[in-house]
Each structure stands twice: as structure tokens, then as C-alpha cells.
Amino acid sequence: MARTTPPHPVDIAAVFPEIAPLARTATRLHPRPGTPGLYDSSIGGPLLWPFDEPWPTCGDSHEDAGGYFTRLDTERRRRRILSAAWGRTRKGERLAITPEEQAELDGLDEDYADPDTPATMLGVAQLFMRDVPGLAGPAGADVLQILWCPRDHEPHYSPSLMLRWRRSSDVTDVLTDQPEPEVMEYDTYLPVPCVLHPEQVVEYPYKAFLPSDLKKRIRLWEEASGHRYFYDLSIADGWKVGGYAAWNLTDPYPMLCDDCGADMDMLVKIDGSEWDGTERWRPLEDAGPENEFHEHPNRWEPTGITIGRGYALWIFTCPVSFDHPHGVSMQ
Ligand SMILES: [Zn+2]
Ligand SMILES: [Zn+2]
């Protein structure tokens, strides 16, 4: 099912024509739980990986040395139990869990493990250019793969990311039994397998980057009209490719390439929630019909991941060369 973002509540470019040239197109990915295959764009699905290419491990140091962490297979069992139990629980009623399920859940709570060393990377996203308009990569590449180490790392105390661009036709002998780490720092670092429903939307700059006169007039207009530029009109909620970056946690700072110093471009936003309580960014198709039973995961948190206290990871890439290291901001 396609996903359709509600139209902007007001055409900001009609109110302030000088903002029109600043419009950018972003592609919302709209992940929803499913069973993606090796050749599909996905979040939390298998990656199209050459059989003879080593699966990466994390080279960074970990903030968590000595802790005990959730096992990935344990978390999958926990999600299966809870998904079944919530699926037969009517809204407003207590969780309809059987004694057997409860006993199994209680057992899982004890099932922790020492971290393995070195930490194996976990496949997080696979984006084919044919599915994601606006996704641009190195010459010849047609798919972007994102992996992360589900442990906490400096400077954001978040998973450490790795990007792989490849030409899918180069992968003739596919690695089907894909390695993964044994444990993770938090159970919210394991993405629920999701298929994607990409959709292009129009974005405008983060408020701090507007020309100062325009920024002031927009603020006065917000007070008079009740419209909210930042939350409703500028940058989309949820996973997306391209468009503008937000800086609402730290205020803007330059994202410069470590290799060449160039100003980097927004590539992908990894987000835990697809829309907030205002439902401004909730696709029309997700408005209903309301199910009488609970849904687990929630419609607005389909991938099951959480970054920090509900933040997002913004991945940047160097415009000079895709061989230069990516940048990450947490907002
Ligand atoms: Zn790591
Ligand atoms: Zn560079």
C-alpha cells in the first residue's frame, strides 16, 4: 500500500514567495513491518552481500565494557510473544497474556550475555536507487547498505554506523546466512524487519538557516496564524533520504568532511518514530480503520528502534567523494 503524507497545512511558498527557491525534495521511506527479501529495499531485512566478502565488525571502542546485554534472539522471542498477546488484547483492556507466555517472558528477562569481541555489525537498511528517488551514490552503484554496531559509542552514545555502496549486479553468489552480533546494548537497537513505501515530499530549510529577515517575518506570521513552521512545514518526521537536516537538539554546527573539509550533504535520517502526537506527518493510509485490538509494534514506531531519548541519527556524506568518511549528527 502506498503511503501519502497529508498536504502541507498551508502553502508557505504562497505566503512567503522568497522561500520557494529553497524548497528541496526528500523521500520518506515509510517502513512498515513485513518480510523483505535479499533483493528488496528494507529496514532490518537481509542485505544483498557477496558470499566471498567478509562481513564487517566494529572497529570502535565501546562505552559499555563489562556490562551484560540483551541477546538478539531473546529480543526476537520477546517481540513474538508480545505481538501475539497484544494482538488479541482489545484496546482499553489488560494485556491478554497466557500463563505460559508470561512464564516464557519472565525467563527471557534473565537471558543476558557478555558482549562478544570484536562486535559483529548488524544489517540495518538496504536502499535500492530504483525504489528511492533522489538517492545518489558513487558511479555504477545502485544500492546503499547501512549496518550498525548495536552498542553505544562516542560521541553520541549511540550505535556506530557503516555504509556500503554496491552495484547489485556484481553480487552473483549471495551470502544468505548473514552474521549478526550476539548481543546489543538496548533492545531498541534491533530493527523490526520492514518493507518500504517511499514517497517524495517537499521540505524547507531548518529555521536557523533562513535569511534573518524572513525568519523574523515567519515568526510573526506563526504568532498571528497559529501555524508552526518548524514542526509542520519544514522537515518531515520519520526515516527519509535527502532534503534538509534538523538541528533542534544542539543547534546547527558545521558537518565537515574529516578528509577534505567539505560541507557534507544530508543523506539518510534514521528515526524511531514516523510521526508525533500531532499526526501532522501521519500518512493518510495509517489513519484508519482503527483496529479494535492493540498493534505491536505501534503504527508510528514500526521499526521498533529508539535513538537516545527519541532522537534521530542524521547521516551526512561528502559531496567530493563517496570514499570519504560519512558524518553523523544526533538530533
Ligand atoms: Zn561498536
Ligand atoms: Zn570529503
Side-chain angles (χ1 to χ4, degrees), residues 69-91:
F69 302 118
T70 309
R71 298 171 54 90
L72 274 71
D73 51 4
T74 300
E75 176 58 14
R76 291 195 181 98
R77 282 167 67 200
R78 194 182 72 85
R79 289 179 186 181
R80 266 200 301 278
I81 297 166
L82 285 176
S83 176
W86 281 117
R88 67 176 100 88
T89 304
R90 285 192 171 74
K91 286 175 180 159

mmCIF file with all atom_site columns, all heavy atoms in Angstrom, residues 69-91:
data_model
loop_
_atom_site.group_PDB
_atom_site.id
_atom_site.type_symbol
_atom_site.label_atom_id
_atom_site.label_alt_id
_atom_site.label_comp_id
_atom_site.label_asym_id
_atom_site.label_entity_id
_atom_site.label_seq_id
_atom_site.pdbx_PDB_ins_code
_atom_site.Cartn_x
_atom_site.Cartn_y
_atom_site.Cartn_z
_atom_site.occupancy
_atom_site.B_iso_or_equiv
_atom_site.pdbx_formal_charge
_atom_site.auth_seq_id
_atom_site.auth_comp_id
_atom_site.auth_asym_id
_atom_site.auth_atom_id
_atom_site.pdbx_PDB_model_num
ATOM 1   N N   . PHE A 1 69 ? 24.247  -7.648  28.272 1.00 0.00 ? 69 PHE A N   1
ATOM 2   C CA  . PHE A 1 69 ? 23.364  -7.072  27.270 1.00 0.00 ? 69 PHE A CA  1
ATOM 3   C C   . PHE A 1 69 ? 22.323  -8.061  26.776 1.00 0.00 ? 69 PHE A C   1
ATOM 4   O O   . PHE A 1 69 ? 22.453  -9.270  26.946 1.00 0.00 ? 69 PHE A O   1
ATOM 5   C CB  . PHE A 1 69 ? 24.184  -6.559  26.096 1.00 0.00 ? 69 PHE A CB  1
ATOM 6   C CG  . PHE A 1 69 ? 25.192  -5.552  26.527 1.00 0.00 ? 69 PHE A CG  1
ATOM 7   C CD1 . PHE A 1 69 ? 26.535  -5.784  26.363 1.00 0.00 ? 69 PHE A CD1 1
ATOM 8   C CD2 . PHE A 1 69 ? 24.789  -4.397  27.153 1.00 0.00 ? 69 PHE A CD2 1
ATOM 9   C CE1 . PHE A 1 69 ? 27.468  -4.870  26.796 1.00 0.00 ? 69 PHE A CE1 1
ATOM 10  C CE2 . PHE A 1 69 ? 25.712  -3.471  27.590 1.00 0.00 ? 69 PHE A CE2 1
ATOM 11  C CZ  . PHE A 1 69 ? 27.053  -3.706  27.414 1.00 0.00 ? 69 PHE A CZ  1
ATOM 12  N N   . THR A 1 70 ? 21.306  -7.497  26.124 1.00 0.00 ? 70 THR A N   1
ATOM 13  C CA  . THR A 1 70 ? 20.223  -8.296  25.565 1.00 0.00 ? 70 THR A CA  1
ATOM 14  C C   . THR A 1 70 ? 20.707  -9.080  24.352 1.00 0.00 ? 70 THR A C   1
ATOM 15  O O   . THR A 1 70 ? 21.343  -8.513  23.462 1.00 0.00 ? 70 THR A O   1
ATOM 16  C CB  . THR A 1 70 ? 19.060  -7.383  25.130 1.00 0.00 ? 70 THR A CB  1
ATOM 17  O OG1 . THR A 1 70 ? 18.738  -6.525  26.214 1.00 0.00 ? 70 THR A OG1 1
ATOM 18  C CG2 . THR A 1 70 ? 17.846  -8.188  24.738 1.00 0.00 ? 70 THR A CG2 1
ATOM 19  N N   . ARG A 1 71 ? 20.356  -10.349 24.307 1.00 0.00 ? 71 ARG A N   1
ATOM 20  C CA  . ARG A 1 71 ? 20.667  -11.149 23.133 1.00 0.00 ? 71 ARG A CA  1
ATOM 21  C C   . ARG A 1 71 ? 19.646  -10.847 22.033 1.00 0.00 ? 71 ARG A C   1
ATOM 22  O O   . ARG A 1 71 ? 18.467  -10.639 22.306 1.00 0.00 ? 71 ARG A O   1
ATOM 23  C CB  . ARG A 1 71 ? 20.606  -12.636 23.474 1.00 0.00 ? 71 ARG A CB  1
ATOM 24  C CG  . ARG A 1 71 ? 21.615  -13.084 24.540 1.00 0.00 ? 71 ARG A CG  1
ATOM 25  C CD  . ARG A 1 71 ? 21.306  -14.517 24.957 1.00 0.00 ? 71 ARG A CD  1
ATOM 26  N NE  . ARG A 1 71 ? 21.257  -15.392 23.790 1.00 0.00 ? 71 ARG A NE  1
ATOM 27  C CZ  . ARG A 1 71 ? 22.328  -16.034 23.303 1.00 0.00 ? 71 ARG A CZ  1
ATOM 28  N NH1 . ARG A 1 71 ? 23.493  -15.939 23.894 1.00 0.00 ? 71 ARG A NH1 1
ATOM 29  N NH2 . ARG A 1 71 ? 22.214  -16.796 22.232 1.00 0.00 ? 71 ARG A NH2 1
ATOM 30  N N   . LEU A 1 72 ? 20.106  -10.861 20.772 1.00 0.00 ? 72 LEU A N   1
ATOM 31  C CA  . LEU A 1 72 ? 19.192  -10.556 19.679 1.00 0.00 ? 72 LEU A CA  1
ATOM 32  C C   . LEU A 1 72 ? 18.098  -11.613 19.553 1.00 0.00 ? 72 LEU A C   1
ATOM 33  O O   . LEU A 1 72 ? 16.928  -11.288 19.321 1.00 0.00 ? 72 LEU A O   1
ATOM 34  C CB  . LEU A 1 72 ? 19.952  -10.439 18.343 1.00 0.00 ? 72 LEU A CB  1
ATOM 35  C CG  . LEU A 1 72 ? 20.547  -9.048  18.069 1.00 0.00 ? 72 LEU A CG  1
ATOM 36  C CD1 . LEU A 1 72 ? 21.722  -8.758  18.981 1.00 0.00 ? 72 LEU A CD1 1
ATOM 37  C CD2 . LEU A 1 72 ? 20.955  -8.910  16.609 1.00 0.00 ? 72 LEU A CD2 1
ATOM 38  N N   . ASP A 1 73 ? 18.478  -12.887 19.720 1.00 0.00 ? 73 ASP A N   1
ATOM 39  C CA  . ASP A 1 73 ? 17.449  -13.935 19.568 1.00 0.00 ? 73 ASP A CA  1
ATOM 40  C C   . ASP A 1 73 ? 16.436  -13.870 20.715 1.00 0.00 ? 73 ASP A C   1
ATOM 41  O O   . ASP A 1 73 ? 15.247  -14.134 20.522 1.00 0.00 ? 73 ASP A O   1
ATOM 42  C CB  . ASP A 1 73 ? 18.078  -15.326 19.418 1.00 0.00 ? 73 ASP A CB  1
ATOM 43  C CG  . ASP A 1 73 ? 19.085  -15.632 20.511 1.00 0.00 ? 73 ASP A CG  1
ATOM 44  O OD1 . ASP A 1 73 ? 19.256  -14.805 21.427 1.00 0.00 ? 73 ASP A OD1 1
ATOM 45  O OD2 . ASP A 1 73 ? 19.708  -16.710 20.452 1.00 0.00 ? 73 ASP A OD2 1
ATOM 46  N N   . THR A 1 74 ? 16.898  -13.454 21.889 1.00 0.00 ? 74 THR A N   1
ATOM 47  C CA  . THR A 1 74 ? 15.983  -13.279 23.017 1.00 0.00 ? 74 THR A CA  1
ATOM 48  C C   . THR A 1 74 ? 14.967  -12.172 22.722 1.00 0.00 ? 74 THR A C   1
ATOM 49  O O   . THR A 1 74 ? 13.776  -12.316 22.975 1.00 0.00 ? 74 THR A O   1
ATOM 50  C CB  . THR A 1 74 ? 16.776  -12.904 24.284 1.00 0.00 ? 74 THR A CB  1
ATOM 51  O OG1 . THR A 1 74 ? 17.699  -13.947 24.569 1.00 0.00 ? 74 THR A OG1 1
ATOM 52  C CG2 . THR A 1 74 ? 15.856  -12.686 25.470 1.00 0.00 ? 74 THR A CG2 1
ATOM 53  N N   . GLU A 1 75 ? 15.464  -11.084 22.178 1.00 0.00 ? 75 GLU A N   1
ATOM 54  C CA  . GLU A 1 75 ? 14.574  -9.961  21.871 1.00 0.00 ? 75 GLU A CA  1
ATOM 55  C C   . GLU A 1 75 ? 13.549  -10.353 20.806 1.00 0.00 ? 75 GLU A C   1
ATOM 56  O O   . GLU A 1 75 ? 12.392  -9.953  20.871 1.00 0.00 ? 75 GLU A O   1
ATOM 57  C CB  . GLU A 1 75 ? 15.398  -8.757  21.424 1.00 0.00 ? 75 GLU A CB  1
ATOM 58  C CG  . GLU A 1 75 ? 14.592  -7.554  20.976 1.00 0.00 ? 75 GLU A CG  1
ATOM 59  C CD  . GLU A 1 75 ? 13.632  -7.014  22.026 1.00 0.00 ? 75 GLU A CD  1
ATOM 60  O OE1 . GLU A 1 75 ? 13.749  -7.380  23.216 1.00 0.00 ? 75 GLU A OE1 1
ATOM 61  O OE2 . GLU A 1 75 ? 12.740  -6.220  21.647 1.00 0.00 ? 75 GLU A OE2 1
ATOM 62  N N   . ARG A 1 76 ? 13.976  -11.156 19.838 1.00 0.00 ? 76 ARG A N   1
ATOM 63  C CA  . ARG A 1 76 ? 13.006  -11.595 18.809 1.00 0.00 ? 76 ARG A CA  1
ATOM 64  C C   . ARG A 1 76 ? 11.903  -12.452 19.432 1.00 0.00 ? 76 ARG A C   1
ATOM 65  O O   . ARG A 1 76 ? 10.737  -12.335 19.071 1.00 0.00 ? 76 ARG A O   1
ATOM 66  C CB  . ARG A 1 76 ? 13.723  -12.364 17.698 1.00 0.00 ? 76 ARG A CB  1
ATOM 67  C CG  . ARG A 1 76 ? 14.617  -11.488 16.854 1.00 0.00 ? 76 ARG A CG  1
ATOM 68  C CD  . ARG A 1 76 ? 15.028  -12.180 15.551 1.00 0.00 ? 76 ARG A CD  1
ATOM 69  N NE  . ARG A 1 76 ? 15.910  -11.314 14.780 1.00 0.00 ? 76 ARG A NE  1
ATOM 70  C CZ  . ARG A 1 76 ? 17.240  -11.400 14.779 1.00 0.00 ? 76 ARG A CZ  1
ATOM 71  N NH1 . ARG A 1 76 ? 17.850  -12.337 15.486 1.00 0.00 ? 76 ARG A NH1 1
ATOM 72  N NH2 . ARG A 1 76 ? 17.960  -10.565 14.061 1.00 0.00 ? 76 ARG A NH2 1
ATOM 73  N N   . ARG A 1 77 ? 12.287  -13.333 20.367 1.00 0.00 ? 77 ARG A N   1
ATOM 74  C CA  . ARG A 1 77 ? 11.267  -14.151 21.043 1.00 0.00 ? 77 ARG A CA  1
ATOM 75  C C   . ARG A 1 77 ? 10.323  -13.275 21.846 1.00 0.00 ? 77 ARG A C   1
ATOM 76  O O   . ARG A 1 77 ? 9.108   -13.454 21.834 1.00 0.00 ? 77 ARG A O   1
ATOM 77  C CB  . ARG A 1 77 ? 11.932  -15.189 21.955 1.00 0.00 ? 77 ARG A CB  1
ATOM 78  C CG  . ARG A 1 77 ? 12.483  -16.387 21.178 1.00 0.00 ? 77 ARG A CG  1
ATOM 79  C CD  . ARG A 1 77 ? 13.397  -17.227 22.030 1.00 0.00 ? 77 ARG A CD  1
ATOM 80  N NE  . ARG A 1 77 ? 12.704  -17.904 23.114 1.00 0.00 ? 77 ARG A NE  1
ATOM 81  C CZ  . ARG A 1 77 ? 13.326  -18.379 24.202 1.00 0.00 ? 77 ARG A CZ  1
ATOM 82  N NH1 . ARG A 1 77 ? 14.618  -18.207 24.345 1.00 0.00 ? 77 ARG A NH1 1
ATOM 83  N NH2 . ARG A 1 77 ? 12.648  -19.006 25.124 1.00 0.00 ? 77 ARG A NH2 1
ATOM 84  N N   . ARG A 1 78 ? 10.899  -12.297 22.560 1.00 0.00 ? 78 ARG A N   1
ATOM 85  C CA  . ARG A 1 78 ? 10.077  -11.389 23.361 1.00 0.00 ? 78 ARG A CA  1
ATOM 86  C C   . ARG A 1 78 ? 9.063   -10.658 22.474 1.00 0.00 ? 78 ARG A C   1
ATOM 87  O O   . ARG A 1 78 ? 7.884   -10.544 22.805 1.00 0.00 ? 78 ARG A O   1
ATOM 88  C CB  . ARG A 1 78 ? 10.979  -10.372 24.064 1.00 0.00 ? 78 ARG A CB  1
ATOM 89  C CG  . ARG A 1 78 ? 10.302  -9.593  25.178 1.00 0.00 ? 78 ARG A CG  1
ATOM 90  C CD  . ARG A 1 78 ? 11.262  -8.569  25.794 1.00 0.00 ? 78 ARG A CD  1
ATOM 91  N NE  . ARG A 1 78 ? 11.488  -7.459  24.879 1.00 0.00 ? 78 ARG A NE  1
ATOM 92  C CZ  . ARG A 1 78 ? 10.688  -6.390  24.773 1.00 0.00 ? 78 ARG A CZ  1
ATOM 93  N NH1 . ARG A 1 78 ? 9.632   -6.279  25.531 1.00 0.00 ? 78 ARG A NH1 1
ATOM 94  N NH2 . ARG A 1 78 ? 10.952  -5.436  23.907 1.00 0.00 ? 78 ARG A NH2 1
ATOM 95  N N   . ARG A 1 79 ? 9.523   -10.187 21.322 1.00 0.00 ? 79 ARG A N   1
ATOM 96  C CA  . ARG A 1 79 ? 8.625   -9.463  20.418 1.00 0.00 ? 79 ARG A CA  1
ATOM 97  C C   . ARG A 1 79 ? 7.532   -10.377 19.879 1.00 0.00 ? 79 ARG A C   1
ATOM 98  O O   . ARG A 1 79 ? 6.381   -9.955  19.722 1.00 0.00 ? 79 ARG A O   1
ATOM 99  C CB  . ARG A 1 79 ? 9.419   -8.847  19.256 1.00 0.00 ? 79 ARG A CB  1
ATOM 100 C CG  . ARG A 1 79 ? 10.266  -7.685  19.698 1.00 0.00 ? 79 ARG A CG  1
ATOM 101 C CD  . ARG A 1 79 ? 11.072  -7.101  18.547 1.00 0.00 ? 79 ARG A CD  1
ATOM 102 N NE  . ARG A 1 79 ? 11.982  -6.069  19.032 1.00 0.00 ? 79 ARG A NE  1
ATOM 103 C CZ  . ARG A 1 79 ? 12.791  -5.373  18.249 1.00 0.00 ? 79 ARG A CZ  1
ATOM 104 N NH1 . ARG A 1 79 ? 12.822  -5.592  16.936 1.00 0.00 ? 79 ARG A NH1 1
ATOM 105 N NH2 . ARG A 1 79 ? 13.596  -4.458  18.772 1.00 0.00 ? 79 ARG A NH2 1
ATOM 106 N N   . ARG A 1 80 ? 7.881   -11.639 19.570 1.00 0.00 ? 80 ARG A N   1
ATOM 107 C CA  . ARG A 1 80 ? 6.854   -12.576 19.057 1.00 0.00 ? 80 ARG A CA  1
ATOM 108 C C   . ARG A 1 80 ? 5.768   -12.804 20.101 1.00 0.00 ? 80 ARG A C   1
ATOM 109 O O   . ARG A 1 80 ? 4.578   -12.787 19.789 1.00 0.00 ? 80 ARG A O   1
ATOM 110 C CB  . ARG A 1 80 ? 7.507   -13.910 18.669 1.00 0.00 ? 80 ARG A CB  1
ATOM 111 C CG  . ARG A 1 80 ? 7.890   -14.005 17.199 1.00 0.00 ? 80 ARG A CG  1
ATOM 112 C CD  . ARG A 1 80 ? 8.057   -15.461 16.769 1.00 0.00 ? 80 ARG A CD  1
ATOM 113 N NE  . ARG A 1 80 ? 9.068   -16.168 17.518 1.00 0.00 ? 80 ARG A NE  1
ATOM 114 C CZ  . ARG A 1 80 ? 10.372  -16.119 17.263 1.00 0.00 ? 80 ARG A CZ  1
ATOM 115 N NH1 . ARG A 1 80 ? 10.823  -15.383 16.257 1.00 0.00 ? 80 ARG A NH1 1
ATOM 116 N NH2 . ARG A 1 80 ? 11.226  -16.787 17.998 1.00 0.00 ? 80 ARG A NH2 1
ATOM 117 N N   . ILE A 1 81 ? 6.195   -13.004 21.350 1.00 0.00 ? 81 ILE A N   1
ATOM 118 C CA  . ILE A 1 81 ? 5.220   -13.255 22.432 1.00 0.00 ? 81 ILE A CA  1
ATOM 119 C C   . ILE A 1 81 ? 4.321   -12.032 22.622 1.00 0.00 ? 81 ILE A C   1
ATOM 120 O O   . ILE A 1 81 ? 3.091   -12.135 22.658 1.00 0.00 ? 81 ILE A O   1
ATOM 121 C CB  . ILE A 1 81 ? 5.956   -13.581 23.752 1.00 0.00 ? 81 ILE A CB  1
ATOM 122 C CG1 . ILE A 1 81 ? 6.768   -14.868 23.606 1.00 0.00 ? 81 ILE A CG1 1
ATOM 123 C CG2 . ILE A 1 81 ? 4.959   -13.694 24.906 1.00 0.00 ? 81 ILE A CG2 1
ATOM 124 C CD1 . ILE A 1 81 ? 7.784   -15.073 24.729 1.00 0.00 ? 81 ILE A CD1 1
ATOM 125 N N   . LEU A 1 82 ? 4.955   -10.862 22.721 1.00 0.00 ? 82 LEU A N   1
ATOM 126 C CA  . LEU A 1 82 ? 4.171   -9.651  22.988 1.00 0.00 ? 82 LEU A CA  1
ATOM 127 C C   . LEU A 1 82 ? 3.271   -9.288  21.810 1.00 0.00 ? 82 LEU A C   1
ATOM 128 O O   . LEU A 1 82 ? 2.142   -8.842  21.999 1.00 0.00 ? 82 LEU A O   1
ATOM 129 C CB  . LEU A 1 82 ? 5.112   -8.484  23.307 1.00 0.00 ? 82 LEU A CB  1
ATOM 130 C CG  . LEU A 1 82 ? 5.736   -8.553  24.692 1.00 0.00 ? 82 LEU A CG  1
ATOM 131 C CD1 . LEU A 1 82 ? 6.735   -7.422  24.890 1.00 0.00 ? 82 LEU A CD1 1
ATOM 132 C CD2 . LEU A 1 82 ? 4.653   -8.486  25.780 1.00 0.00 ? 82 LEU A CD2 1
ATOM 133 N N   . SER A 1 83 ? 3.775   -9.521  20.606 1.00 0.00 ? 83 SER A N   1
ATOM 134 C CA  . SER A 1 83 ? 2.977   -9.198  19.435 1.00 0.00 ? 83 SER A CA  1
ATOM 135 C C   . SER A 1 83 ? 1.716   -10.064 19.397 1.00 0.00 ? 83 SER A C   1
ATOM 136 O O   . SER A 1 83 ? 0.614   -9.581  19.114 1.00 0.00 ? 83 SER A O   1
ATOM 137 C CB  . SER A 1 83 ? 3.843   -9.408  18.195 1.00 0.00 ? 83 SER A CB  1
ATOM 138 O OG  . SER A 1 83 ? 3.096   -9.198  17.062 1.00 0.00 ? 83 SER A OG  1
ATOM 139 N N   . ALA A 1 84 ? 1.867   -11.358 19.715 1.00 0.00 ? 84 ALA A N   1
ATOM 140 C CA  . ALA A 1 84 ? 0.710   -12.258 19.741 1.00 0.00 ? 84 ALA A CA  1
ATOM 141 C C   . ALA A 1 84 ? -0.256  -11.864 20.852 1.00 0.00 ? 84 ALA A C   1
ATOM 142 O O   . ALA A 1 84 ? -1.478  -11.811 20.643 1.00 0.00 ? 84 ALA A O   1
ATOM 143 C CB  . ALA A 1 84 ? 1.177   -13.704 19.931 1.00 0.00 ? 84 ALA A CB  1
ATOM 144 N N   . ALA A 1 85 ? 0.279   -11.573 22.028 1.00 0.00 ? 85 ALA A N   1
ATOM 145 C CA  . ALA A 1 85 ? -0.586  -11.249 23.165 1.00 0.00 ? 85 ALA A CA  1
ATOM 146 C C   . ALA A 1 85 ? -1.329  -9.924  22.948 1.00 0.00 ? 85 ALA A C   1
ATOM 147 O O   . ALA A 1 85 ? -2.542  -9.838  23.140 1.00 0.00 ? 85 ALA A O   1
ATOM 148 C CB  . ALA A 1 85 ? 0.246   -11.189 24.452 1.00 0.00 ? 85 ALA A CB  1
ATOM 149 N N   . TRP A 1 86 ? -0.601  -8.907  22.502 1.00 0.00 ? 86 TRP A N   1
ATOM 150 C CA  . TRP A 1 86 ? -1.282  -7.621  22.241 1.00 0.00 ? 86 TRP A CA  1
ATOM 151 C C   . TRP A 1 86 ? -2.288  -7.765  21.107 1.00 0.00 ? 86 TRP A C   1
ATOM 152 O O   . TRP A 1 86 ? -3.337  -7.112  21.102 1.00 0.00 ? 86 TRP A O   1
ATOM 153 C CB  . TRP A 1 86 ? -0.265  -6.524  21.904 1.00 0.00 ? 86 TRP A CB  1
ATOM 154 C CG  . TRP A 1 86 ? 0.433   -5.953  23.092 1.00 0.00 ? 86 TRP A CG  1
ATOM 155 C CD1 . TRP A 1 86 ? 1.764   -6.008  23.365 1.00 0.00 ? 86 TRP A CD1 1
ATOM 156 C CD2 . TRP A 1 86 ? -0.157  -5.230  24.183 1.00 0.00 ? 86 TRP A CD2 1
ATOM 157 N NE1 . TRP A 1 86 ? 2.036   -5.379  24.552 1.00 0.00 ? 86 TRP A NE1 1
ATOM 158 C CE2 . TRP A 1 86 ? 0.875   -4.886  25.079 1.00 0.00 ? 86 TRP A CE2 1
ATOM 159 C CE3 . TRP A 1 86 ? -1.469  -4.847  24.502 1.00 0.00 ? 86 TRP A CE3 1
ATOM 160 C CZ2 . TRP A 1 86 ? 0.653   -4.182  26.265 1.00 0.00 ? 86 TRP A CZ2 1
ATOM 161 C CZ3 . TRP A 1 86 ? -1.697  -4.148  25.674 1.00 0.00 ? 86 TRP A CZ3 1
ATOM 162 C CH2 . TRP A 1 86 ? -0.643  -3.820  26.537 1.00 0.00 ? 86 TRP A CH2 1
ATOM 163 N N   . GLY A 1 87 ? -1.973  -8.640  20.153 1.00 0.00 ? 87 GLY A N   1
ATOM 164 C CA  . GLY A 1 87 ? -2.854  -8.823  19.002 1.00 0.00 ? 87 GLY A CA  1
ATOM 165 C C   . GLY A 1 87 ? -4.215  -9.399  19.368 1.00 0.00 ? 87 GLY A C   1
ATOM 166 O O   . GLY A 1 87 ? -5.151  -9.328  18.578 1.00 0.00 ? 87 GLY A O   1
ATOM 167 N N   . ARG A 1 88 ? -4.327  -10.004 20.550 1.00 0.00 ? 88 ARG A N   1
ATOM 168 C CA  . ARG A 1 88 ? -5.639  -10.488 20.978 1.00 0.00 ? 88 ARG A CA  1
ATOM 169 C C   . ARG A 1 88 ? -6.166  -9.688  22.163 1.00 0.00 ? 88 ARG A C   1
ATOM 170 O O   . ARG A 1 88 ? -7.116  -10.103 22.823 1.00 0.00 ? 88 ARG A O   1
ATOM 171 C CB  . ARG A 1 88 ? -5.551  -11.993 21.302 1.00 0.00 ? 88 ARG A CB  1
ATOM 172 C CG  . ARG A 1 88 ? -4.719  -12.362 22.508 1.00 0.00 ? 88 ARG A CG  1
ATOM 173 C CD  . ARG A 1 88 ? -4.798  -13.871 22.782 1.00 0.00 ? 88 ARG A CD  1
ATOM 174 N NE  . ARG A 1 88 ? -3.623  -14.573 22.282 1.00 0.00 ? 88 ARG A NE  1
ATOM 175 C CZ  . ARG A 1 88 ? -2.504  -14.744 23.009 1.00 0.00 ? 88 ARG A CZ  1
ATOM 176 N NH1 . ARG A 1 88 ? -2.414  -14.263 24.239 1.00 0.00 ? 88 ARG A NH1 1
ATOM 177 N NH2 . ARG A 1 88 ? -1.489  -15.394 22.498 1.00 0.00 ? 88 ARG A NH2 1
ATOM 178 N N   . THR A 1 89 ? -5.538  -8.534  22.426 1.00 0.00 ? 89 THR A N   1
ATOM 179 C CA  . THR A 1 89 ? -5.980  -7.667  23.518 1.00 0.00 ? 89 THR A CA  1
ATOM 180 C C   . THR A 1 89 ? -6.757  -6.485  22.952 1.00 0.00 ? 89 THR A C   1
ATOM 181 O O   . THR A 1 89 ? -6.238  -5.745  22.106 1.00 0.00 ? 89 THR A O   1
ATOM 182 C CB  . THR A 1 89 ? -4.760  -7.129  24.308 1.00 0.00 ? 89 THR A CB  1
ATOM 183 O OG1 . THR A 1 89 ? -3.981  -8.225  24.779 1.00 0.00 ? 89 THR A OG1 1
ATOM 184 C CG2 . THR A 1 89 ? -5.219  -6.268  25.480 1.00 0.00 ? 89 THR A CG2 1
ATOM 185 N N   . ARG A 1 90 ? -8.011  -6.357  23.396 1.00 0.00 ? 90 ARG A N   1
ATOM 186 C CA  . ARG A 1 90 ? -8.800  -5.209  22.931 1.00 0.00 ? 90 ARG A CA  1
ATOM 187 C C   . ARG A 1 90 ? -8.305  -3.941  23.615 1.00 0.00 ? 90 ARG A C   1
ATOM 188 O O   . ARG A 1 90 ? -7.842  -3.966  24.750 1.00 0.00 ? 90 ARG A O   1
ATOM 189 C CB  . ARG A 1 90 ? -10.280 -5.411  23.237 1.00 0.00 ? 90 ARG A CB  1
ATOM 190 C CG  . ARG A 1 90 ? -10.942 -6.402  22.315 1.00 0.00 ? 90 ARG A CG  1
ATOM 191 C CD  . ARG A 1 90 ? -12.456 -6.392  22.426 1.00 0.00 ? 90 ARG A CD  1
ATOM 192 N NE  . ARG A 1 90 ? -13.027 -7.210  21.367 1.00 0.00 ? 90 ARG A NE  1
ATOM 193 C CZ  . ARG A 1 90 ? -13.002 -8.554  21.373 1.00 0.00 ? 90 ARG A CZ  1
ATOM 194 N NH1 . ARG A 1 90 ? -12.463 -9.198  22.379 1.00 0.00 ? 90 ARG A NH1 1
ATOM 195 N NH2 . ARG A 1 90 ? -13.521 -9.239  20.346 1.00 0.00 ? 90 ARG A NH2 1
ATOM 196 N N   . LYS A 1 91 ? -8.418  -2.840  22.896 1.00 0.00 ? 91 LYS A N   1
ATOM 197 C CA  . LYS A 1 91 ? -7.975  -1.562  23.468 1.00 0.00 ? 91 LYS A CA  1
ATOM 198 C C   . LYS A 1 91 ? -8.761  -1.268  24.728 1.00 0.00 ? 91 LYS A C   1
ATOM 199 O O   . LYS A 1 91 ? -9.959  -1.519  24.799 1.00 0.00 ? 91 LYS A O   1
ATOM 200 C CB  . LYS A 1 91 ? -8.125  -0.454  22.444 1.00 0.00 ? 91 LYS A CB  1
ATOM 201 C CG  . LYS A 1 91 ? -7.053  -0.575  21.384 1.00 0.00 ? 91 LYS A CG  1
ATOM 202 C CD  . LYS A 1 91 ? -7.184  0.417   20.266 1.00 0.00 ? 91 LYS A CD  1
ATOM 203 C CE  . LYS A 1 91 ? -6.047  0.180   19.262 1.00 0.00 ? 91 LYS A CE  1
ATOM 204 N NZ  . LYS A 1 91 ? -6.334  0.720   17.946 1.00 0.00 ? 91 LYS A NZ  1
#
